Amino acid sequence: MALLLLRNRKASALGIPRILRDNVEPFGLNSEKIIGAFASVDVIIRSYCSGSGMKKFDFTDLTRPHTWYPLARKKVRKVILHVGPTNSGKTHQALSRLESSSSGIYCGPLRLLAWEVAKRLNKANVSCDLITGQEREEVDGAKHRAVTVEMADVVSDYDCAVIDEIQMLGCKTRGFSFTRALLGICANELHLCGDPAAVPLIQQILQVTGDDVKVQSYERLSPLVPLNVPLGSFSNIQTGDCIVTFSRHAIYRLKKAIESRGKHLCSIVYGSLPPETRTRQATRFNDASSEFDVLVASDAIGMGLNLNISRIIFSTMKKFDGVELRDLTVPEVKQIAGRAGRYGSKFPVGEVTCLDSEDLPLLHKSLLEPSPMLESAGLFPNFDLIYMYSRLHPDSSLYGILEHFLENAKLSENYFFANCEEVLKVATVIDQLPLRLHEKYLFCISPVDMNDDISSQGLTQFATNYSKKGIVQLREIFTPGTLQVPKTQAALRELESIHKVLDLYVWLSFRLEESFPDRELAASQKAICSMLIEEFLERLGWQKPRVKKVTPRPKLNSAVVSRC
Ligand SMILES: Nc1ncnc2c1ncn2[C@@H]1O[C@H](COP(=O)(O)OP(=O)(O)OP(=O)(O)O)[C@@H](O)[C@H]1O
Ligand SMILES: [Mg+2]
């Protein structure tokens, strides 16, 4: 164990750039960030040695995650917790402060929220970049950036930072990114917006950072009225209604049921639609002059968004969560219901009801109950720790290393180990390839959907070609010019999957720039995918599929399709 320390010490005297070149640059960090990243390696080593001498080295000890972020720890941050119900002006208040700061960062859980914030700041003449895993819209001279939380920058110094929907640090899969932003962002002021249920946990977590924490509570700005009468029939649908359901199939069924009455047209929003399509569908619904006056959506609309909804109608109060069909939780009901009657929208009073009367009691009960207090926040070892651990166990696969962390990680009671099932699934595949650890890690944290055959085969193909040749031309896996408007639900689903593969290519191209050189082509094909999907939604979405000649599926080359 001591050997590792000596090796690293030696490296820090003689070979700093080597460790960094091997492990940090591939992630697309600039030199300033490399220094920050190295500082964190150095600090981790010191924090792991302190008190235990050089003999005892336990990288699975994750009890002091605040020490992973040396830059943030140099400051006493002024932390303001903006908490209250939905539609109470929490985000607005934090953004007003961000707008007047000399430099800043907004971190949100959804691309749509980051996009809204970048638009708002730029409109207010505060230049603001938009950065998500797959997008970099940079504005000349910008000192502000709106990002999705996974892209939170923990190696720059900001005047002001905002983390929106902070209660998501309790999320099993994405919570660790919120924890990372909470502990790691270096800013004079850090504004956290969210549910009051997160307050005690955050106060406890920040006790060890020495930050100055204040809580600011909010009340709802406009009323939300739970109705005693269910919708009953689709003939009672009105302009401004949003009907919520949780399966893709049900979304199309409801759209058809509503549109076939000839009075309303529906925009739709659900998770596996391309983000840009979701944005355009939401924008079209928000636009009072558009004929698409009803929204049919999944819980993809359930967080922080400002939509022109007058009434939320739950078509069901149950959701399949991957394991079982369960009742919606109190926070889920409140978040979704909270989209109705947004302050400043054309509907000053929001209403909420269900399709069926039997669901009303659960709706009413959930809206009255406080959300359960958060007990712990997600945590996941960063690459530095995994790398150092791998030096002690050079024969271990990435899967083996992650599994070891999972079994042996020691955490304080404020944290839980993130659910890394998806990462482990990718690791099983990637470990077969002759790649270095940081390359494997990169593929493992990429936004691949391993439950989608085409998406997972796309990842395998990219990683295989990369390991063989070091360069991945998009044309090896995808033939441009072959995309068509889908004519069936199956073809639509396939196009959504192809979009995911192209999206993955763009994501990789931002991190392995020279090896994935066709970003522009991938991005333009992605845009075509979403246009074709939108055309389907507008023209064909609710019509019966016509039984006609079979069209070939030439979009992905045989290497991928043959294994789908
Ligand atoms: N002081 C204000 N002046 C003008 N508009 C405001 C003000 N406060 C809030 N709003 C507007 O009210 C709407 C709701 O505010 P905001 O999005 O900040 O609520 P929130 O509490 O963050 O809700 P959620 O919990 O759903 O994210 C937004 O459209 C926002 O621009
Ligand atoms: Mg908000």
Side-chain angles (χ1 to χ4, degrees), residues 15 18 36 50 56 62 91 116 128 186-187 206 208 238 278 299 323 348 379 406 416 460 465 479 488 505 514 522 534:
R18 177 119 177 259
S50 64
K56 205 169 155 220
L62 309 181
T91 306
E116 248 189 23
C128 180
C186 175
L206 295 184
V208 287
Q238 300 161 5
R278 269 183 267 164
D299 46 351
V323 180
L379 202 63
L406 204 58
F416 65 88
T460 310
N465 290 11
T479 309
T488 61
Y505 188 97
E514 286 174 12
E534 279 158 54

Side-chain angles (χ1 to χ4, degrees), residues 462 465-473 476 514-517:
F462 289 151
N465 290 11
Y466 174 74
S467 69
K468 280 186 187 153
K469 295 186 277 184
I471 186 156
V472 184
Q473 312 279 359
E476 291 167 14
E514 286 174 12
S515 301
F516 288 80

Side-chain angles (χ1 to χ4, degrees), residues 526-545:
K526 246 177 72 173
I528 292 173
C529 270
S530 36
M531 270 166 44
L532 296 173
I533 289 173
E534 279 158 54
E535 214 169 312
F536 172 85
L537 298 183
E538 271 174 41
R539 297 200 283 116
L540 301 159
W542 57 271
Q543 286 179 6
K544 276 192 182 153

Side-chain angles (χ1 to χ4, degrees), residues 73-106:
R73 294 295 76 79
K74 282 190 187 150
K75 280 192 190 220
V76 175
R77 300 177 302 178
K78 196 172 154 198
V79 179
I80 301 105
L81 267 151
H82 303 266
V83 295
T86 55
N87 195 15
S88 55
K90 306 178 295 290
T91 306
H92 179 84
Q93 190 62 31
L95 292 180
S96 306
R97 182 61 205 108
L98 185 68
E99 258 172 43
S100 61
S101 64
S102 55
S103 64
I105 183 164
Y106 166 89

Side-chain angles (χ1 to χ4, degrees), residues 440-458:
K440 289 183 180 178
Y441 183 81
L442 185 66
F443 282 105
C444 280
I445 61 164
S446 71
V448 59
D449 177 358
M450 291 302 277
N451 296 317
D452 177 320
D453 283 350
I454 294 182
S455 173
S456 64
Q457 292 298 334

